[in-house]
Every structure is written in structure tokens, then in C-alpha cells.
Amino acid sequence: MHTVILVLFEVLTVIGLSRLVGLAFKSVKQPLVIGEIVAGIMLGPSLFGLIAPSVAATLFPPETIPFLNVLSQVGLIFFMFLIGLELNPKYLSGQLETAVLTSHVSILVPFSLGTLLAVLLYPLVSNASVSFTAFALFLGAAMSITAFPVLARIITENNLQGTRLGTLALTCAAVDDVTAWCVLAVAIAVAREGSIASAFPTILESLLYIGFMLTAGRWFLQRLATHYQRAGRLSQFVVALIYMAVVASALITELIGIHLIFGAFLLGAAMPKNADLVRELAEKTEDFVLVFLLPVFFAFSGLRTQIGLLNHPELWLLCLLVLAVAIAGKYIGTYVAARVSGINKREASALGWLMNTRGLTELIVLNIGLDLGVISPVLFTMLVIMALVTTFMTSPLLEWTYPKKLIRLDRIEPEAEETEKETTVGSEYRILVPVANPSSQKGLVQLAVAIALNYRQSAVVHPLSLIEFEEDYAFESTPVEANRLIEQRRQQLDDLINTLEPPTTRSYVHPIIRLSSNVARETAEIAKIEQPNLVLVGWHRPAFSNNRLGGRVGQILTTTPVDVAVFVDRGGERLESLLVPYSANIHDDLALILALRLLINRDTCTLQILQVLSENQVNNELSYELHTMMEQMPNSVRDRIQIKTIEAPEPIQAVVAASEAVDLTIAGTSRAWGIQRQTLGRYTDQLAIQCRSSLLITRRYSQVTSHLSSVLSEASTQESVARS
């Protein structure tokens, strides 16, 4: 019982630390799984065992390690099943000839370099009982791996799944995955049998089993899919049958003499790719596997990773050599093959970095090698470092080689191309509207349309819908499933656009849909690329706070490099009377400018500019910019503006009282405090809560941005013509 309690305590520690470190890595744009792998290493002798050896020995005594090993092996079986399950034939439909050439060369080059490296490493860091053939085959296979799951998530997170590069990378990785697992299976067979000749029966049995699974096995699984379509759901009995099949297939491949992970992967790959069946099965399986079992595997791997073994400069030089061979082999092989196939330099380079992703798949391979005794603990540590570095570098090098501006130009969907033509940066007035929930934010988009459209200046409104993924390995973040979610969200936005009034405005509204792991950061990046005149975002009072802004809206306000307005929707559909509390700062200037634009756009709209003075306070004059704009206003607009000055001891209460008689109050961020951390400032926070009308809070980024100049010149010209 003592051992069981200790194992449970270990699992508790592992899961907690994995989540924390994973989230920390995610905050710096790295896959969550890399943080979880690092958390496992931290629990081992490389860190925890180094700084607190007695505590580490107490927490992870030798008698508990077999229990962790069993849990990790069960986790690997079902994780490999999930990998096979998501290996969709659709990935093999894009540029297949180019992908087959590129992926095979990207395996052949690092495999060849790995076998050459084995000549140097074999006498230095190998076990004496291992044959050179097995050692060379395994090292070559380890150098050739591309982690399809991590690569697929990187493609999804960077919104590359709809681009030429993303389609080619997915196809290459899918072909690479199948080929690399076959190579690894041969390497394992040779390692277990001692020579290629001795391994031939194992290889033959493996081929026979693969043939059986792709024929009789697939026939049975197809019947299962037919049953699912009739029933409309996966019953516990059917799930039990599938899980039994996963374990049985894993057992068969283990008995054949390759490894149990191959059987699980093969069953997943043979499963019918009925979208609903795959989705439900993945969702039922992945949470327990990813949250509970895989972190145990990372911890088990971390306990075997001893960075302290690299205790000589020569060993670190060998580690650097391993890293250089791994990176160069994958990159050069991919780049050259892609260039020969006609891919341009930048895309070929980006593809080279993507194919260098190794991640969790490499860790699985290395643990197999260590279990078989093919690689020594020293080489295991070197290769773990290589796996982490090559995965860690993928995202920043991809961003450097293929920035988001190029991704925007590389999209291949017809609708995206059409939108691209219409949103080319020019003289049009453009508003970006982050829409979190299309079903409840019609008022936000309707306000954006009212601000943007006036038939005197070309304009476009972009509802921006970001689909946020919190988990790296969740099935919903696979490219095929992500595309389904994008189409679903596009339909929701189309339904929203079709409710806008008047109907003539709907053609000016073009949604942008992206995937993201950080909505606020992605919004700021898209605003930087698109350079709209205004970002209009919705906000509701926080559930657990009276005045703190916090969350995504606060981050968007503080990081977006354009003018931003925050809309607090009280549900009123009228937009006839406006109120601007004015106090002569640049944020109030933006509030007044947007009000004037609404006034020009809507002939029936009226504006009250309210200046609230406390005792002995001097009246604040309009800025020179605003005074000039007011002079340029046609009489038909100026006649609908009322400037009112009142004295009141509590300015906020005066503004709140005035807001009862209007449809929309537009106010700049805090008069005295600006945008404080996590808050709009006391004045604007209080106004956001107490204001009786809908409220638009403005934050000006730059005084250079013009919201009125084009409209004013056109409006003035038209009035002059009308008078003459």
C-alpha cells in the first residue's frame, strides 16, 4: 500500500508540474508538449536529483519506477492509436508527387548522415553488446523522424493549413511518418535479432500483419463505422471493443518482435475516417491520455535523462555534432528536394524548418532504443537534447522565414483571394471587429458598419473571429478538424451579416477567421499587418469584479498598435442621439472624431458635446485639430451639434445622468490616469458600469491616424455644389 500511495503522489506531482511548465512554454509561443517534456526532465536527476538528491530519492524510489513504466506504456499505446486515427488520407491529396520526393529525400539524407555519424559514435558512446548494424540503423532512424502531431499543430496554430506551404508540409509529414515508422520497425527487428538476416522472419511477419489489418481488419472496422452511423453515437460497449482491439493489436506486434506502439498506430490508421466517428472517439480518449498518462511518460523519460552524464567538453562537442547533423540532414534534404520540385526558396526553407520538428515522436523512439539497449544513457541524453532543440526552434525560425504577411498572401481559398483584393491597403476606411460570439454580438458589428459606411468614402468592415485552441494535441486542433470549425464559424458569421440593416451594407462586411492559441496577441498581430483605421471590440462587465478590465480586452487595448474602441452594449438598437463627455485629451479627441463621423454618416443623428467643470475649473477648449474639423463641417452637420457646459462636483455622475437621454455615449479612456494595468482608469471604469446608454470607450494610438479627412473634403464639396 505504501508503494501505491507513493506512485499516486508522484502522478499528482507530475501532472501539476507538467501543466504549469507547459503553460509557461505556451506563453512564449512554444508547443505545450515541449514544456511538459521539460517538466519531466526537471523531475529527474538533471535538476531535481541534482539540487535535492535526498528528496528526489524519497519521491522517486526504485520500487515505484516499474509502476510509472507500465502507466507510460499504456499511455504510449493509446497516444499512438490517436496519431494513427488522425492520419487522414486527405493529407495525401496535396502535391503528392512533390511530397513523396521531398519526404523521402528528407529521410534519406539524415538517415545517411546518421549512419555516417554512427561510425564516429559507436566506439565512443555505444553499449559493447550492440551490433554496429543495429546501432547505425537506429541512429539513422532517430535522425530521420519528423513529429507529425507537433508539425500538424504548428501548421494549424500558424493558420497554414489553407496555404500551399501548409498543404505540402502536411503531405510530406504524413508520408514521412509512415516511412519513418517502417524504417524504425526494421531497426527494432534488427536490434532484437542481432542482424538483418535474423530479422527477416520478423519483417515478413510484420508485413503479413499489416496486410491483414488493411484488409480483414479494415473490413471489420468498416462494419463498426456502419453501426455507428445507424446508432448516431458511440456506446460504451463499442468503445470497449475498440480499446480491446487497440490493446490486442499492440500485443500482436510486440509478440511479432517489433514493438507494441506499432500495433496501436496501425489500428488507428486502419480506422474508417468517418468524421463524426473519429471526432467522438478522439474526444473520449484524448483527455485521459494527454492529461494523465502522457505526463507520466515524460516523467519516466526525464528520470532516465541525465544531463550530468555530459561531464566533459568532448561529450558536449559530440552533442553539438549530433544536433548539427540532425538539423542539417533534415533541412538540406528537404530544401534541395523542394527546390528540385520547383518550390521557391522561401517556401522550401520554411518547409525545411517544419520537417525538423521532432517533439514527442522522437522521445518515443529514443525510449524504445534505450529499452532495447541499442543506445546508451549518454547518447539518449544527447538525442533528447536534440529533440527539444529542433522542436523549440521550429516556430521562431518559421516565423522568421515565412512571416504572417506572406501567409496572408499564400492562401489558396477563392473566398480568401477575393477578400484579399478588396482589402488591399489604400484609401478605404477599415474597421477590424473581434467577434467572440457571433450569436450575441450583432450590435457590435452594426455599430462598426454605422461608423464605417457613408457612401462618400470606400470602406470595409472585417469581423475578426479567432478560434482559440487551449491544447496542442486536442483533436479539434488537427488541420482537418480545424477546417471544419472554420467553416462552421464562417457560416455563423454569414448568418450574422445577413441580419445587418440596411441590406445594402452587407456587401461591405468581409469576415476574417483564424485559429489562435492567444486571442489578444493574435488580434494585435493581425491589426499590425492589416493596419485598420480602428479596432472595435466588445466588452461586458466582469463577473467577479466591479472595475477591473483585465482579460483579452485589456490586452488588446494595451498592445494593439492602432486606435481602439471598446463597446459596452446595453441592447439598444437606436443610434440617433450621441453624447461625448469632453475633457481635452487625445482619447477624448478620438471619441469626438468618431461621433462626428457617425454624424456625417447618419443624417438623422444628433450630438451633444458635454463639458463638465468642477468648481473654479477653467473650460477646456477643443484641440486645434478638432476646431479645424468643425470649421470644415457642412452646415447640415454643424446644425445637429450642441456644445453644453455645466458645473458639477461629481463629473462622473453628471455624465451618467446625461447618458439617460441618449442612445450612445462615447468617452475617451481615463482623464487623469490613462490606461492603468488591468483597468481603464477610475473614471472610465465607473462610467462603464453606471452609464445608462450603450457606451463606446476610445483609446487613441496615434494622432496621425485620420478618421475624417477624406469624408470632410467630400462632404464639403457636395454641399458647395448643392448651394451653387
Side-chain angles (χ1 to χ4, degrees):
M1 182 58 70
H2 171 73
T3 304
V4 173
I5 292 172
L6 201 53
V7 170
L8 290 176
F9 192 76
E10 289 171 354
V11 170
L12 187 67
T13 305
V14 166
I15 294 174
L17 186 64
S18 294
R19 285 283 116 180
L20 287 175
V21 180
L23 291 173
F25 271 70
K26 192 159 185 162
S27 68
V28 293
K29 297 186 178 182
Q30 287 297 323
L32 183 140
V33 68
I34 297 301
E36 293 182 333
I37 293 172
V38 170
I41 294 173
M42 289 168 62
L43 287 171
S46 300
L47 182 64
F48 189 32
L50 186 67
I51 60 176
S54 58
V55 179
T58 303
L59 182 60
F60 294 101
E63 61 267 21
T64 64
I65 302 303
F67 292 89
L68 295 180
N69 186 23
V70 170
L71 287 174
S72 66
Q73 292 302 313
V74 173
L76 281 187
I77 289 172
F78 282 94
F79 179 70
M80 291 302 296
F81 168 68
L82 288 172
I83 293 178
L85 191 65
E86 73 176 55
L87 192 63
N88 198 306
K90 289 182 179 180
Y91 296 143
L92 300 175
S93 61
Q95 308 173 68
L96 188 57
E97 291 183 6
T98 300
V100 169
L101 173 65
T102 304
S103 61
H104 283 136
V105 173
S106 75
I107 287 177
L108 183 61
V109 173
F111 186 88
S112 302
L113 291 177
T115 53
L116 288 174
L117 182 63
V119 176
L120 173 65
L121 294 180
Y122 183 68
L124 298 176
V125 293
S126 72
N127 294 325
S129 59
V130 178
S131 69
F132 174 76
T133 303
F135 182 82
L137 276 173
F138 194 88
L139 188 60
M143 293 291 176
S144 307
I145 289 291
T146 292
F148 178 81
V150 178
L151 181 139
R153 270 58 178 196
I154 289 173
I155 286 173
T156 302
E157 189 170 315
N158 285 276
N159 291 280
L160 281 165
Q161 73 279 3
T163 67
R164 290 181 296 273
L165 172 62
T167 304
L168 179 59
L170 280 172
T171 310
C172 286
V175 175
D176 188 292
D177 216 34
V178 174
T179 306
W181 287 120
C182 292
V183 171
L184 182 63
V186 173
I188 292 171
V190 172
R192 281 181 166 171
E193 301 299 332
S195 67
I196 294 179
S198 302
F200 184 76
T202 301
I203 296 170
L204 183 61
E205 289 171 5
S206 301
L207 291 174
L208 289 173
Y209 182 63
I210 291 170
F212 170 79
M213 284 299 296
L214 296 181
T215 52
R218 180 167 283 178
W219 175 84
F220 174 76
L221 293 170
Q222 188 60 57
R223 290 298 182 93
L224 205 63
T226 303
H227 170 76
Y228 171 81
Q229 288 177 316
R230 291 173 182 168
R233 60 180 291 271
L234 274 177
S235 65
Q236 290 184 355
F237 178 75
V238 174
V239 172
L241 284 178
I242 293 172
Y243 287 174
M244 286 171 66
V246 172
V247 176
S249 185
L251 280 171
I252 290 169
T253 52
E254 180 68 24
L255 293 172
I256 285 173
I258 41 177
H259 196 276
L260 49 81
I261 64 170
F262 292 100
F265 173 78
L266 187 57
L267 185 78
M271 283 289 295
K273 302 309 176 189
N274 175 289
D276 294 331
L277 170 63
V278 170
R279 185 182 311 112
E280 187 172 349
L281 184 56
E283 288 173 352
K284 284 178 178 292
T285 307
E286 65 186 9
D287 284 346
F288 184 67
V289 173
L290 301 181
V291 175
F292 187 91
L293 295 176
L294 268 191
V296 175
F297 170 69
F298 298 142
F300 181 69
S301 301
L303 292 171
R304 308 166 91 185
T305 304
Q306 304 177 57
I307 296 177
L309 292 176
L310 307 183
N311 52 7
H312 295 290
E314 295 83 357
L315 290 175
W316 279 107
L317 286 174
L318 284 178
C319 184
L320 289 175
L321 180 61
V322 168
L323 181 61
V325 168
I327 295 172
K330 268 292 181 184
Y331 180 83
I332 294 172
T334 303
Y335 182 85
V336 171
R339 292 291 292 140
V340 168
S341 301
I343 307 299
N344 66 50
K345 291 181 180 179
R346 193 181 287 271
E347 285 190 11
S349 183
L351 188 61
W353 297 130
L354 282 169
M355 295 299 284
N356 249 302
T357 305
R358 288 179 172 85
L360 173 55
T361 308
E362 181 77 12
L363 202 63
I364 294 170
V365 172
L366 298 181
N367 274 277
I368 293 172
L370 190 60
D371 287 336
L372 295 175
V374 179
I375 58 175
S376 63
V378 173
L379 184 56
F380 176 81
T381 300
M382 292 179 181
L383 291 171
V384 167
I385 292 171
M386 178 271 288
L388 286 172
V389 171
T390 52
T391 307
F392 195 90
M393 73 184 192
T394 300
S395 291
L397 286 174
L398 176 64
E399 176 67 25
W400 173 66
T401 308
Y402 210 78
K404 284 185 167 57
K405 287 184 179 179
L406 289 179
I407 295 174
R408 181 171 171 261
L409 298 174
D410 188 37
R411 298 193 168 275
I412 57 179
E413 302 94 348
E415 185 174 343
E417 287 184 354
E418 182 182 342
T419 303
E420 180 66 35
K421 293 175 185 175
E422 296 178 4
T423 59
T424 303
V425 176
S427 60
E428 73 273 9
Y429 187 84
R430 300 184 308 135
I431 299 182
L432 188 68
V433 190
V435 177
N437 186 352
S439 64
S440 65
Q441 290 189 287
K442 176 185 175 182
L444 181 68
V445 180
Q446 191 75 62
L447 177 61
V449 168
I451 295 172
L453 303 183
N454 52 51
Y455 308 107
R456 300 182 183 94
Q457 177 189 17
S458 60
V460 64
V461 173
H462 288 301
L464 172 64
S465 187
L466 295 176
I467 302 171
E468 186 172 24
F469 294 141
E470 296 182 358
E471 308 294 343
D472 284 338
Y473 279 105
F475 178 74
E476 68 173 7
S477 62
T478 58
V480 168
E481 182 67 6
N483 282 333
R484 186 190 70 83
L485 292 174
I486 287 173
E487 287 307 311
Q488 187 180 72
R489 185 65 59 86
R490 190 182 302 281
Q491 184 59 54
Q492 291 173 343
L493 287 173
D494 287 344
D495 292 343
L496 168 62
I497 292 167
N498 288 332
T499 65
L500 299 177
E501 296 293 341
T504 52
T505 63
R506 298 169 189 171
S507 61
Y508 298 92
V509 183
H510 301 288
I512 297 174
I513 304 170
R514 296 286 186 273
L515 306 167
S516 174
S517 59
N518 187 311
V519 167
R521 184 172 63 203
E522 188 76 16
T523 300
E525 289 178 355
I526 290 174
K528 188 175 181 180
I529 294 169
E530 298 285 344
Q531 283 297 302
N533 298 79
L534 180 71
V535 172
L536 180 62
V537 60
W539 177 68
H540 298 283
R541 178 176 174 178
F544 301 105
S545 170
N546 286 328
N547 67 344
R548 289 173 64 80
L549 181 65
R552 295 169 182 168
V553 175
Q555 294 172 45
I556 290 171
L557 270 171
T558 53
T559 60
T560 305
V562 296
D563 291 346
V564 178
V566 180
F567 182 48
V568 184
D569 190 357
R570 303 296 189 204
E573 295 185 4
R574 285 170 49 86
L575 196 60
E576 302 300 327
S577 54
L578 310 177
L579 170 68
V580 175
Y582 187 78
S583 184
N585 65 57
I586 62 169
H587 306 304
D588 282 355
D589 286 353
L590 176 59
L592 188 50
I593 289 168
L594 292 181
L596 293 174
R597 186 174 176 95
L598 279 168
L599 214 62
I600 292 170
N601 295 353
R602 303 173 70 89
D603 295 336
T604 58
C605 199
T606 61
L607 168 64
Q608 180 185 122
I609 302 173
L610 181 65
Q611 295 180 295
V612 184
L613 306 178
S614 56
E615 190 176 353
N616 299 323
Q617 184 180 357
V618 179
N619 189 8
N620 292 306
E621 298 294 335
L622 297 179
S623 68
Y624 175 77
E625 176 192 19
L626 286 171
H627 182 75
T628 305
M629 286 182 180
M630 297 283 278
E631 290 294 321
Q632 294 176 3
M633 291 280 176
N635 290 331
S636 60
V637 175
R638 284 204 298 263
D639 290 345
R640 288 182 278 127
I641 301 174
Q642 176 191 9
I643 300 178
K644 186 177 181 181
T645 303
I646 61 173
E647 288 190 7
E650 289 290 337
I652 296 174
Q653 296 308 316
V655 174
V656 169
S659 70
E660 292 187 16
V662 300
D663 300 319
L664 177 66
T665 302
I666 310 178
T669 50
S670 179
R671 300 179 177 188
W673 297 276
I675 303 175
Q676 299 173 359
R677 180 172 178 81
Q678 299 285 314
T679 176
L680 287 167
R682 185 176 64 84
Y683 159 74
T684 320
D685 263 341
Q686 196 168 340
L687 190 58
I689 295 166
Q690 298 182 13
C691 188
R692 299 290 183 257
S693 68
S694 292
L695 175 67
L696 189 64
I697 303 165
T698 57
R699 187 274 280 158
R700 194 164 196 178
Y701 177 76
S702 169
Q703 290 183 277
V704 177
T705 305
S706 173
H707 296 268
L708 279 176
S709 55
S710 299
V711 180
L712 285 177
S713 58
E714 181 68 23
S716 299
T717 302
Q718 287 186 0
E719 181 157 305
S720 299
V721 170
R723 283 203 301 266
S724 62

